[in-house]
Amino acid sequence: MSEALRIDGYACTAGRRTLFSGLSFALDDGAWAMLTGPNGSGKTTLLRALAGLGTPADGRLHWRGQPCRRDAPAWHATRLYQGHGAGWKEALSARENLALQAGLDGTLQTGAA
């Protein structure tokens, strides 16, 4: 497997409060990760930053070995953010829910695994 996502030294804030800092990890193609933590610890903030909907206070994000530039169209074309459960369909799998949302958003990539 090859490395798909790498986060180096990520930090996010809410106002003057640092939610987390120094976050680093990597995920290979096909890997899954579970994000846990108490309310207010920055889980949603991190996910929104990774999806390009927020800006980290510090750190770097690489996708498939390339630095992500938030102003590049390719950045947004490869990400989909599914927020809290309001739009989640219990009868569908996670992959099916994401495909449904991508179709509704007009961002569904055909031929993607």
Side-chain angles (χ1 to χ4, degrees):
M1 293 211 161
S2 63
E3 186 177 278
L5 175 71
R6 172 173 291 282
I7 307 299
D8 291 313
Y10 240 50
C12 285
T13 59
R16 294 181 182 185
R17 183 174 149 234
T18 298
L19 299 173
F20 58 85
S21 63
L23 179 64
S24 298
F25 65 89
L27 292 173
D28 289 337
D29 276 331
W32 290 74
M34 182 178 2
L35 183 59
T36 63
N39 287 342
S41 62
K43 299 178 301 290
T44 299
T45 301
L46 171 62
L47 293 174
R48 289 181 56 80
L50 294 177
L53 300 173
T55 303
D58 196 13
R60 293 176 309 281
L61 171 63
H62 289 80
W63 178 251
R64 302 203 183 284
Q66 300 298 314
C68 291
R69 288 188 41 225
R70 295 184 187 290
D71 60 342
W75 164 268
H76 296 285
T78 61
R79 280 145 192 85
L80 176 67
Y81 176 76
Q82 174 69 50
H84 297 289
W88 203 254
K89 310 298 182 214
E90 292 294 327
L92 301 178
S93 70
R95 183 180 298 271
E96 290 167 331
N97 269 286
L98 292 173
L100 173 64
Q101 187 64 50
L104 292 172
D105 292 344
T107 58
L108 183 61
Q109 301 283 324
T110 59

XYZ file of all heavy atoms in Angstrom:
835
model
N 0.838 -1.188 0.000
C 0.000 0.000 0.000
C 0.874 1.240 0.000
O 1.970 1.221 0.507
C -0.897 0.026 1.218
C -1.949 -1.031 1.263
S -3.371 -0.373 2.133
C -4.564 -1.521 1.541
N 0.333 2.301 -0.544
C 1.075 3.553 -0.560
C 0.411 4.566 0.363
O -0.781 4.500 0.635
C 1.150 4.105 -1.986
O -0.151 4.398 -2.457
N 1.207 5.483 0.828
C 0.704 6.507 1.738
C -0.210 7.462 0.988
O 0.168 8.035 -0.027
C 1.876 7.262 2.344
C 1.478 8.250 3.399
C 2.678 8.911 4.015
O 3.274 8.297 4.925
O 3.046 10.000 3.561
N -1.420 7.642 1.489
C -2.386 8.531 0.853
C -2.437 9.893 1.537
O -2.465 10.919 0.878
C -3.770 7.897 0.865
N -2.417 9.891 2.844
C -2.594 11.123 3.611
C -1.512 11.226 4.669
O -1.234 10.259 5.369
C -3.977 11.096 4.290
C -4.308 12.250 5.229
C -4.533 13.530 4.435
C -5.558 11.917 6.037
N -0.903 12.405 4.769
C 0.081 12.662 5.824
C -0.200 14.041 6.404
O -0.354 15.009 5.679
C 1.507 12.629 5.286
C 2.526 13.087 6.351
C 3.962 12.908 5.929
N 4.317 11.513 5.863
C 4.592 10.751 6.935
N 4.507 11.263 8.151
N 4.923 9.497 6.784
N -0.263 14.085 7.731
C -0.445 15.319 8.481
C 0.813 15.525 9.313
O 1.236 14.628 10.036
C -1.650 15.208 9.451
C -2.917 14.756 8.747
C -1.866 16.497 10.223
C -3.384 15.655 7.668
N 1.409 16.697 9.217
C 2.630 17.002 9.974
C 2.438 18.267 10.796
O 2.228 19.348 10.234
C 3.817 17.205 9.032
C 4.246 15.926 8.338
O 4.368 14.900 9.033
O 4.443 15.956 7.118
N 2.485 18.128 12.114
C 2.466 19.279 13.014
C 1.195 20.103 12.976
O 1.236 21.316 13.170
N 0.062 19.463 12.754
C -1.207 20.185 12.648
C -1.606 20.790 13.990
O -1.442 20.184 15.045
C -2.305 19.233 12.188
C -2.960 19.625 10.883
C -2.214 19.940 9.760
C -4.337 19.660 10.774
C -2.811 20.271 8.566
C -4.956 19.991 9.588
C -4.196 20.298 8.484
O -4.795 20.635 7.306
N -2.162 21.985 13.933
C -2.711 22.661 15.095
C -3.969 23.401 14.660
O -4.019 23.947 13.552
C -1.706 23.648 15.680
N -4.982 23.391 15.507
C -6.215 24.131 15.235
C -6.616 24.897 16.483
O -6.379 24.445 17.608
C -7.348 23.192 14.818
S -7.192 22.558 13.136
N -7.217 26.042 16.256
C -7.653 26.895 17.345
C -9.127 27.245 17.181
O -9.682 27.132 16.092
C -6.838 28.201 17.386
O -7.012 28.883 16.142
C -5.368 27.941 17.619
N -9.726 27.666 18.265
C -11.077 28.229 18.271
C -10.964 29.535 19.044
O -10.784 29.519 20.262
C -12.067 27.278 18.930
N -11.004 30.637 18.328
C -10.729 31.917 18.974
C -9.294 31.934 19.451
O -8.376 31.619 18.698
N -9.081 32.220 20.716
C -7.729 32.236 21.286
C -7.348 30.899 21.910
O -6.231 30.737 22.394
C -7.623 33.329 22.341
C -7.765 34.699 21.771
C -7.630 35.734 22.835
N -7.815 37.055 22.255
C -7.672 38.172 22.916
N -7.336 38.132 24.190
N -7.865 39.320 22.320
N -8.266 29.941 21.898
C -8.035 28.643 22.544
C -7.426 27.650 21.553
O -7.959 27.439 20.470
C -9.371 28.112 23.058
C -9.254 26.830 23.800
C -10.609 26.440 24.409
N -10.675 25.001 24.452
C -11.634 24.266 23.949
N -12.654 24.820 23.358
N -11.598 22.964 24.032
N -6.320 27.041 21.920
C -5.718 25.990 21.109
C -6.449 24.692 21.403
O -6.490 24.240 22.545
C -4.222 25.837 21.424
O -3.559 27.062 21.107
C -3.602 24.705 20.610
N -7.057 24.101 20.361
C -7.771 22.835 20.516
C -6.798 21.671 20.561
O -6.955 20.757 21.360
C -8.769 22.650 19.378
C -9.851 23.729 19.280
C -10.668 23.536 18.013
C -10.733 23.699 20.516
N -5.811 21.697 19.676
C -4.749 20.694 19.662
C -3.589 21.256 18.874
O -3.748 22.182 18.074
C -5.223 19.356 19.064
C -5.743 19.467 17.669
C -4.886 19.427 16.575
C -7.098 19.619 17.433
C -5.360 19.546 15.277
C -7.591 19.733 16.141
C -6.722 19.701 15.062
N -2.414 20.703 19.101
C -1.224 21.142 18.360
C -0.270 19.960 18.226
O -0.358 18.980 18.975
C -0.540 22.308 19.072
O -0.085 21.912 20.337
N 0.616 20.043 17.248
C 1.620 19.005 17.040
C 1.062 17.676 16.560
O 1.714 16.644 16.712
N -0.123 17.681 15.968
C -0.737 16.440 15.506
C -0.073 15.975 14.214
O 0.000 16.718 13.241
C -2.236 16.655 15.266
C -3.024 15.452 14.764
C -3.035 14.342 15.804
C -4.444 15.861 14.407
N 0.424 14.753 14.222
C 1.061 14.164 13.041
C 0.611 12.716 12.911
O 0.557 11.990 13.907
C 2.581 14.208 13.156
O 3.049 15.537 13.222
N 0.264 12.321 11.691
C -0.068 10.924 11.414
C -0.080 10.713 9.910
O -0.051 11.665 9.132
C -1.414 10.508 12.028
C -2.615 11.211 11.458
C -3.285 10.705 10.354
C -3.092 12.366 12.047
C -4.393 11.347 9.839
C -4.205 13.015 11.535
C -4.859 12.497 10.430
N -0.115 9.457 9.508
C -0.199 9.109 8.084
C -1.164 7.944 7.939
O -1.267 7.095 8.822
C 1.179 8.723 7.549
N -1.862 7.925 6.807
C -2.774 6.834 6.474
C -2.441 6.320 5.085
O -2.241 7.112 4.161
C -4.232 7.306 6.488
C -4.825 7.676 7.836
C -6.202 8.286 7.660
C -4.883 6.464 8.737
N -2.396 5.007 4.948
C -2.180 4.384 3.647
C -3.486 4.319 2.869
O -4.577 4.413 3.445
C -1.632 2.962 3.817
C -0.200 2.945 4.318
O 0.512 3.947 4.129
O 0.198 1.923 4.907
N -3.384 4.119 1.556
C -4.565 3.890 0.727
C -5.412 2.792 1.346
O -4.887 1.772 1.786
C -4.152 3.448 -0.681
C -3.826 4.608 -1.581
O -4.386 5.700 -1.388
O -3.006 4.419 -2.501
N -6.703 2.999 1.391
C -7.621 1.985 1.886
C -7.716 1.884 3.389
O -8.518 1.112 3.908
N -6.920 2.666 4.122
C -6.943 2.607 5.585
C -8.130 3.407 6.128
O -8.605 4.347 5.502
C -5.647 3.169 6.156
N -8.584 2.990 7.293
C -9.645 3.698 8.002
C -9.065 4.189 9.318
O -8.165 3.568 9.872
C -10.809 2.749 8.319
C -11.580 2.334 7.119
C -11.179 1.447 6.166
C -12.869 2.767 6.730
N -12.155 1.300 5.218
C -13.217 2.106 5.543
C -13.788 3.646 7.284
C -14.426 2.298 4.892
C -14.999 3.835 6.632
C -15.304 3.171 5.453
N -9.602 5.277 9.814
C -9.181 5.791 11.109
C -10.419 6.203 11.890
O -11.438 6.574 11.308
C -8.260 6.993 10.934
N -10.342 6.093 13.207
C -11.424 6.545 14.067
C -10.910 7.716 14.890
O -9.843 7.637 15.503
C -11.894 5.430 14.998
C -13.048 5.900 15.852
S -13.843 4.737 17.008
C -12.991 3.240 16.899
N -11.664 8.777 14.876
C -11.301 9.983 15.601
C -12.184 10.080 16.844
O -13.411 10.117 16.729
C -11.517 11.198 14.688
C -11.147 12.561 15.210
C -9.673 12.622 15.584
C -11.462 13.609 14.151
N -11.572 10.066 18.003
C -12.322 10.138 19.256
C -11.760 11.236 20.140
O -10.623 11.667 19.957
C -12.259 8.805 20.032
O -10.901 8.548 20.395
C -12.794 7.651 19.201
N -12.565 11.677 21.079
C -12.129 12.683 22.035
C -13.327 13.333 22.679
O -14.451 13.220 22.189
N -13.098 14.037 23.761
C -14.205 14.689 24.460
C -14.777 15.859 23.658
O -14.127 16.367 22.732
C -13.566 15.175 25.764
C -12.113 15.270 25.475
C -11.817 14.239 24.434
N -15.981 16.277 24.020
C -16.590 17.450 23.388
C -15.644 18.640 23.501
O -15.026 18.850 24.551
C -17.919 17.801 24.061
C -19.006 16.826 23.719
O -18.913 16.081 22.751
N -20.059 16.826 24.526
N -15.519 19.373 22.402
C -14.682 20.567 22.415
C -13.209 20.328 22.196
O -12.413 21.262 22.260
N -12.813 19.087 21.913
C -11.388 18.801 21.750
C -10.873 19.075 20.340
O -9.675 19.015 20.108
C -11.088 17.351 22.142
O -11.786 16.454 21.301
N -11.784 19.359 19.392
C -11.348 19.735 18.050
C -11.567 18.681 16.977
O -11.033 18.807 15.875
N -12.372 17.671 17.240
C -12.600 16.599 16.247
C -13.218 17.158 14.966
O -12.696 16.946 13.874
C -13.502 15.506 16.836
C -12.942 14.808 18.057
C -13.890 13.772 18.611
C -15.229 14.296 19.024
N -15.251 15.152 20.216
N -14.313 17.884 15.099
C -14.986 18.444 13.930
C -14.112 19.496 13.267
O -14.028 19.565 12.038
C -16.350 19.034 14.328
O -17.160 17.984 14.859
C -17.051 19.660 13.132
N -13.421 20.286 14.054
C -12.520 21.307 13.507
C -11.435 20.657 12.664
O -11.113 21.130 11.570
C -11.910 22.144 14.648
O -12.970 22.755 15.391
C -10.969 23.214 14.115
N -10.866 19.561 13.145
C -9.849 18.841 12.379
C -10.430 18.315 11.070
O -9.843 18.504 10.000
C -9.274 17.685 13.194
C -8.354 16.732 12.419
C -7.117 17.465 11.901
C -7.976 15.538 13.281
N -11.578 17.657 11.136
C -12.179 17.094 9.922
C -12.509 18.188 8.917
O -12.298 18.023 7.709
C -13.423 16.287 10.273
C -13.162 15.016 11.076
C -14.482 14.372 11.483
C -12.296 14.045 10.297
N -13.015 19.305 9.380
C -13.328 20.416 8.469
C -12.047 20.986 7.847
O -12.030 21.322 6.672
C -14.122 21.488 9.195
C -15.555 21.049 9.526
C -16.354 22.136 10.225
N -16.393 23.383 9.475
C -17.198 23.630 8.451
N -18.047 22.715 8.041
N -17.157 24.800 7.842
N -10.974 21.060 8.623
C -9.698 21.549 8.079
C -9.166 20.577 7.028
O -8.682 20.994 5.971
C -8.682 21.750 9.199
N -9.256 19.270 7.297
C -8.781 18.278 6.333
C -9.594 18.326 5.039
O -9.076 18.047 3.965
C -8.844 16.871 6.926
C -7.904 16.594 8.099
C -8.124 15.189 8.632
C -6.459 16.804 7.701
N -10.872 18.688 5.151
C -11.739 18.765 3.974
C -11.600 20.094 3.239
O -12.215 20.293 2.195
C -13.194 18.553 4.386
N -10.805 21.010 3.781
C -10.629 22.303 3.130
C -11.683 23.321 3.507
O -11.798 24.366 2.878
N -12.468 23.038 4.534
C -13.524 23.950 4.974
C -13.096 24.819 6.145
O -13.864 25.653 6.603
C -14.770 23.147 5.368
C -15.363 22.289 4.251
C -16.482 21.414 4.794
C -15.853 23.155 3.109
N -11.897 24.623 6.617
C -11.330 25.413 7.697
C -9.833 25.498 7.486
O -9.276 24.788 6.650
N -9.194 26.365 8.235
C -7.752 26.562 8.078
C -7.045 26.221 9.388
O -7.393 26.782 10.427
C -7.447 28.021 7.700
O -8.172 28.334 6.511
C -5.968 28.233 7.471
N -6.083 25.312 9.334
C -5.351 25.007 10.566
C -4.477 26.195 10.977
O -4.077 27.005 10.141
C -4.497 23.802 10.177
C -4.305 23.940 8.705
C -5.569 24.569 8.190
N -4.195 26.284 12.257
C -3.310 27.340 12.752
C -1.861 27.059 12.380
O -1.055 27.980 12.241
C -3.451 27.463 14.271
N -1.541 25.770 12.202
C -0.175 25.382 11.871
C -0.204 23.984 11.270
O -1.169 23.243 11.428
C 0.693 25.387 13.135
C 2.191 25.372 12.833
O 2.577 25.602 11.659
O 2.977 25.128 13.765
N 0.855 23.638 10.592
C 1.012 22.283 10.090
C 0.873 22.166 8.586
O 0.520 23.125 7.896
N 1.178 20.973 8.107
C 1.149 20.690 6.670
C 0.325 19.438 6.407
O 0.311 18.496 7.200
C 2.565 20.494 6.146
C 3.404 21.766 6.195
C 4.844 21.541 5.760
N 5.515 20.434 6.428
C 6.036 20.467 7.642
N 5.952 21.554 8.363
N 6.639 19.412 8.153
N -0.329 19.441 5.262
C -1.136 18.318 4.818
C -0.631 17.890 3.448
O -0.457 18.725 2.560
C -2.609 18.732 4.734
C -3.585 17.759 4.093
C -3.664 16.468 4.887
C -4.956 18.403 3.995
N -0.361 16.596 3.304
C 0.062 16.042 2.014
C -0.935 14.972 1.584
O -1.354 14.149 2.396
C 1.456 15.407 2.123
C 2.538 16.410 2.278
N 2.828 17.001 3.485
C 3.399 16.933 1.387
C 3.831 17.841 3.325
N 4.197 17.817 2.064
N -1.304 15.003 0.324
C -2.198 14.012 -0.261
C -1.452 13.328 -1.396
O -1.012 13.980 -2.326
C -3.473 14.678 -0.774
C -4.431 13.751 -1.427
C -4.726 13.685 -2.756
C -5.229 12.750 -0.793
N -5.660 12.717 -2.984
C -5.989 12.125 -1.798
C -5.368 12.322 0.525
C -6.872 11.083 -1.516
C -6.254 11.296 0.795
C -6.987 10.699 -0.222
N -1.252 12.013 -1.247
C -0.529 11.221 -2.242
C 0.849 11.817 -2.533
O 1.279 11.897 -3.671
C -1.342 11.062 -3.505
C -2.690 10.408 -3.239
C -3.248 9.757 -4.484
N -4.555 9.195 -4.258
C -4.805 8.057 -3.601
N -3.841 7.372 -3.093
N -6.042 7.626 -3.453
N 1.509 12.247 -1.459
C 2.872 12.749 -1.562
C 3.016 14.192 -1.984
O 4.125 14.717 -2.008
N 1.915 14.861 -2.296
C 1.978 16.249 -2.746
C 1.410 17.186 -1.684
O 0.373 16.890 -1.092
C 1.162 16.428 -4.035
C 1.645 15.582 -5.193
C 3.063 15.944 -5.597
O 3.394 17.111 -5.731
N 3.904 14.936 -5.769
N 2.059 18.325 -1.455
C 1.497 19.292 -0.512
C 0.145 19.786 -1.031
O -0.012 20.004 -2.234
C 2.504 20.439 -0.497
C 3.684 19.971 -1.254
C 3.306 18.773 -2.045
N -0.810 19.934 -0.138
C -2.133 20.419 -0.528
C -2.146 21.939 -0.476
O -1.763 22.538 0.518
C -3.203 19.861 0.404
S -3.448 18.105 0.195
N -2.601 22.513 -1.568
C -2.788 23.960 -1.643
C -4.279 24.233 -1.609
O -5.023 23.787 -2.462
C -2.187 24.502 -2.934
C -0.683 24.508 -2.930
C -0.101 25.223 -4.144
N -0.833 26.419 -4.473
C -1.181 26.737 -5.727
N -0.865 25.964 -6.736
N -1.852 27.838 -5.969
N -4.720 24.968 -0.612
C -6.147 25.208 -0.424
C -6.779 26.020 -1.548
O -7.990 25.979 -1.724
C -6.390 25.891 0.909
C -6.023 24.994 2.047
C -6.353 25.618 3.378
N -5.833 24.815 4.456
C -6.292 23.629 4.800
N -7.279 23.102 4.143
N -5.763 22.949 5.791
N -5.984 26.745 -2.309
C -6.551 27.535 -3.401
C -6.569 26.761 -4.719
O -7.005 27.289 -5.736
C -5.774 28.841 -3.565
C -4.295 28.613 -3.887
O -3.785 27.498 -3.657
O -3.654 29.569 -4.353
N -6.125 25.514 -4.725
C -6.090 24.710 -5.950
C -7.408 23.942 -6.114
O -7.877 23.317 -5.161
C -4.918 23.741 -5.908
N -7.998 23.957 -7.306
C -9.245 23.221 -7.534
C -9.113 21.731 -7.224
O -10.060 21.109 -6.744
C -9.531 23.445 -9.016
C -8.820 24.705 -9.365
C -7.602 24.734 -8.480
N -7.941 21.148 -7.448
C -7.739 19.722 -7.189
C -7.923 19.399 -5.705
O -8.344 18.310 -5.355
C -6.360 19.281 -7.658
N -7.611 20.359 -4.847
C -7.793 20.167 -3.405
C -9.247 19.829 -3.102
O -9.556 18.875 -2.416
C -7.382 21.445 -2.683
C -7.853 21.546 -1.267
C -9.007 22.114 -0.824
C -7.200 21.047 -0.107
N -9.102 22.010 0.529
C -8.003 21.360 1.000
C -6.004 20.368 0.103
C -7.652 21.018 2.290
C -5.663 20.035 1.391
C -6.480 20.360 2.470
N -10.154 20.612 -3.641
C -11.578 20.424 -3.345
C -12.180 19.252 -4.118
O -13.130 18.637 -3.647
C -12.332 21.712 -3.630
C -11.890 22.823 -2.736
N -12.249 22.912 -1.402
C -11.077 23.879 -2.957
C -11.686 23.969 -0.867
N -10.975 24.575 -1.777
N -11.643 18.929 -5.260
C -12.194 17.850 -6.085
C -11.960 16.474 -5.478
O -12.651 15.522 -5.836
C -11.595 17.909 -7.487
N -11.008 16.352 -4.557
C -10.689 15.041 -3.985
C -11.196 14.875 -2.563
O -10.881 13.894 -1.917
C -9.162 14.800 -3.986
O -8.535 15.803 -3.183
C -8.606 14.803 -5.394
N -11.982 15.819 -2.066
C -12.467 15.750 -0.693
C -13.977 15.849 -0.618
O -14.605 16.531 -1.402
C -11.852 16.876 0.135
C -10.466 16.517 0.565
C -9.565 17.713 0.606
N -8.195 17.267 0.755
C -7.430 16.911 -0.248
N -7.875 16.941 -1.464
N -6.200 16.524 -0.052
N -14.526 15.179 0.368
C -15.951 15.258 0.648
C -16.117 15.226 2.150
O -15.558 14.351 2.824
C -16.700 14.080 0.012
C -18.183 13.994 0.319
C -18.927 15.174 -0.320
C -18.747 12.697 -0.211
N -16.829 16.181 2.675
C -17.068 16.237 4.110
C -18.528 15.907 4.377
O -19.422 16.570 3.859
C -16.735 17.631 4.647
C -17.057 17.803 6.116
C -16.233 17.244 7.082
C -18.169 18.514 6.523
C -16.522 17.391 8.423
C -18.457 18.669 7.866
C -17.637 18.109 8.816
O -17.913 18.256 10.143
N -18.766 14.880 5.155
C -20.113 14.515 5.591
C -20.193 14.897 7.057
O -19.532 14.277 7.885
C -20.358 13.010 5.409
C -21.674 12.534 5.959
C -22.853 13.044 5.153
O -22.864 12.929 3.937
N -23.820 13.624 5.816
N -20.963 15.910 7.357
C -21.042 16.415 8.721
C -21.774 15.478 9.666
O -21.948 14.293 9.384
N -22.226 16.017 10.744
C -22.907 15.238 11.767
C -24.105 14.489 11.214
O -24.597 14.775 10.137
C -23.317 16.142 12.925
C -22.146 16.749 13.608
N -21.288 16.023 14.384
C -21.664 18.006 13.597
C -20.337 16.807 14.844
N -20.540 18.010 14.379
N -24.598 13.537 11.958
C -25.583 12.561 11.547
C -26.863 13.020 10.876
O -27.598 12.175 10.408
N -27.169 14.293 10.802
C -28.463 14.716 10.272
C -28.741 14.166 8.876
O -29.864 13.807 8.566
C -28.550 16.235 10.265
N -27.750 14.095 8.019
C -27.960 13.618 6.661
C -27.605 12.158 6.455
O -27.673 11.639 5.357
N -27.213 11.481 7.496
C -26.754 10.100 7.416
C -27.940 9.162 7.318
O -28.866 9.247 8.099
C -25.929 9.793 8.661
C -24.974 8.666 8.503
C -25.120 7.422 9.031
C -23.737 8.644 7.804
N -24.044 6.645 8.693
C -23.187 7.364 7.945
C -23.049 9.583 7.056
C -21.969 7.003 7.376
C -21.846 9.228 6.499
C -21.316 7.955 6.652
N -27.899 8.238 6.356
C -28.965 7.254 6.164
C -28.560 5.948 6.823
O -27.610 5.293 6.390
C -29.245 7.034 4.674
C -29.459 8.307 3.866
C -30.661 9.069 4.349
C -30.862 10.309 3.492
N -31.373 11.430 4.186
N -29.259 5.555 7.872
C -28.898 4.375 8.651
C -28.895 3.087 7.829
O -28.149 2.160 8.119
C -29.844 4.217 9.845
C -29.689 5.305 10.894
C -28.337 5.274 11.587
O -27.765 4.191 11.783
O -27.848 6.370 11.931
N -29.746 2.997 6.802
C -29.839 1.773 6.004
C -28.670 1.615 5.033
O -28.500 0.557 4.434
C -31.154 1.752 5.229
N -27.857 2.667 4.859
C -26.738 2.628 3.924
C -25.420 2.466 4.669
O -25.284 2.887 5.817
C -26.691 3.921 3.097
C -27.921 4.239 2.255
C -27.724 5.572 1.542
C -28.223 3.134 1.271
N -24.438 1.887 3.983
C -23.096 1.786 4.557
C -22.432 3.164 4.515
O -22.936 4.096 3.880
C -22.257 0.793 3.739
O -21.971 1.351 2.461
N -21.293 3.289 5.178
C -20.552 4.552 5.154
C -20.204 4.938 3.717
O -20.381 6.079 3.297
C -19.291 4.435 6.005
N -19.708 3.968 2.942
C -19.342 4.238 1.546
C -20.562 4.684 0.740
O -20.496 5.620 -0.059
C -18.709 3.004 0.920
C -18.238 3.241 -0.517
C -17.619 1.975 -1.107
N -16.454 1.537 -0.387
C -15.209 1.944 -0.656
N -14.979 2.772 -1.629
N -14.196 1.483 0.049
N -21.707 4.026 0.944
C -22.934 4.386 0.220
C -23.416 5.780 0.614
O -23.861 6.547 -0.240
C -24.027 3.349 0.488
C -23.747 2.003 -0.158
C -24.654 0.892 0.354
O -25.111 0.951 1.513
O -24.883 -0.052 -0.425
N -23.306 6.117 1.895
C -23.680 7.458 2.336
C -22.804 8.519 1.690
O -23.299 9.552 1.239
C -23.592 7.566 3.865
C -24.894 7.213 4.531
O -25.842 7.991 4.494
N -24.944 6.040 5.129
N -21.488 8.265 1.636
C -20.582 9.230 1.004
C -20.850 9.354 -0.487
O -20.837 10.449 -1.046
C -19.128 8.838 1.265
C -18.684 8.979 2.727
C -17.289 8.416 2.910
C -18.747 10.415 3.176
N -21.127 8.224 -1.154
C -21.439 8.266 -2.587
C -22.736 9.032 -2.831
O -22.831 9.818 -3.786
C -21.534 6.850 -3.142
N -23.728 8.825 -1.977
C -24.984 9.558 -2.102
C -24.739 11.054 -1.963
O -25.207 11.856 -2.785
C -25.979 9.078 -1.036
C -27.281 9.870 -0.934
C -28.087 9.751 -2.225
C -28.096 9.395 0.256
N -23.985 11.448 -0.940
C -23.706 12.864 -0.725
C -22.908 13.449 -1.886
O -23.179 14.551 -2.350
C -22.951 13.078 0.590
C -22.775 14.539 0.960
C -24.095 15.225 1.224
O -24.903 14.727 1.985
N -24.327 16.357 0.603
N -21.916 12.705 -2.378
C -21.120 13.185 -3.512
C -21.992 13.368 -4.745
O -21.840 14.334 -5.492
C -19.985 12.206 -3.809
N -22.922 12.442 -4.967
C -23.842 12.576 -6.090
C -24.717 13.817 -5.952
O -24.931 14.552 -6.917
N -25.218 14.057 -4.761
C -26.047 15.240 -4.521
C -25.256 16.523 -4.702
O -25.787 17.528 -5.168
C -26.636 15.182 -3.111
C -27.667 14.096 -2.856
C -28.027 14.022 -1.380
C -28.913 14.305 -3.709
N -23.981 16.491 -4.319
C -23.115 17.659 -4.450
C -22.576 17.828 -5.870
O -21.927 18.823 -6.169
C -21.928 17.572 -3.493
C -22.344 17.701 -2.043
O -23.481 18.149 -1.785
O -21.549 17.346 -1.166
N -22.773 16.833 -6.717
C -22.238 16.883 -8.082
C -20.749 16.643 -8.142
O -20.089 17.041 -9.093
N -20.190 15.958 -7.131
C -18.743 15.739 -7.102
C -18.385 14.265 -7.200
O -17.239 13.898 -6.959
C -18.141 16.301 -5.807
O -18.770 15.690 -4.684
C -18.299 17.807 -5.736
N -19.346 13.418 -7.545
C -19.085 11.984 -7.609
C -18.095 11.678 -8.717
O -18.255 12.101 -9.858
C -20.400 11.218 -7.865
C -20.301 9.714 -7.891
C -19.817 9.183 -6.553
C -21.639 9.105 -8.217
N -17.029 10.965 -8.357
C -15.993 10.549 -9.308
C -16.308 9.137 -9.759
O -16.308 8.223 -8.950
C -14.616 10.597 -8.658
C -14.208 11.942 -8.130
C -13.779 12.880 -9.225
O -13.173 12.456 -10.196
N -14.098 14.150 -9.084
N -16.580 8.927 -11.017
C -16.849 7.572 -11.492
C -15.551 6.814 -11.643
O -14.506 7.385 -11.939
C -17.595 7.598 -12.846
O -16.790 8.307 -13.782
C -18.955 8.243 -12.703
N -15.609 5.530 -11.398
C -14.427 4.676 -11.530
C -13.560 4.655 -10.296
O -12.578 3.952 -10.234
N -13.911 5.444 -9.269
C -13.122 5.455 -8.034
C -13.494 4.276 -7.171
O -14.655 3.889 -7.106
C -13.346 6.765 -7.262
N -12.516 3.703 -6.501
C -12.780 2.566 -5.616
C -13.197 3.037 -4.254
O -12.876 4.066 -3.802
C -11.546 1.693 -5.520
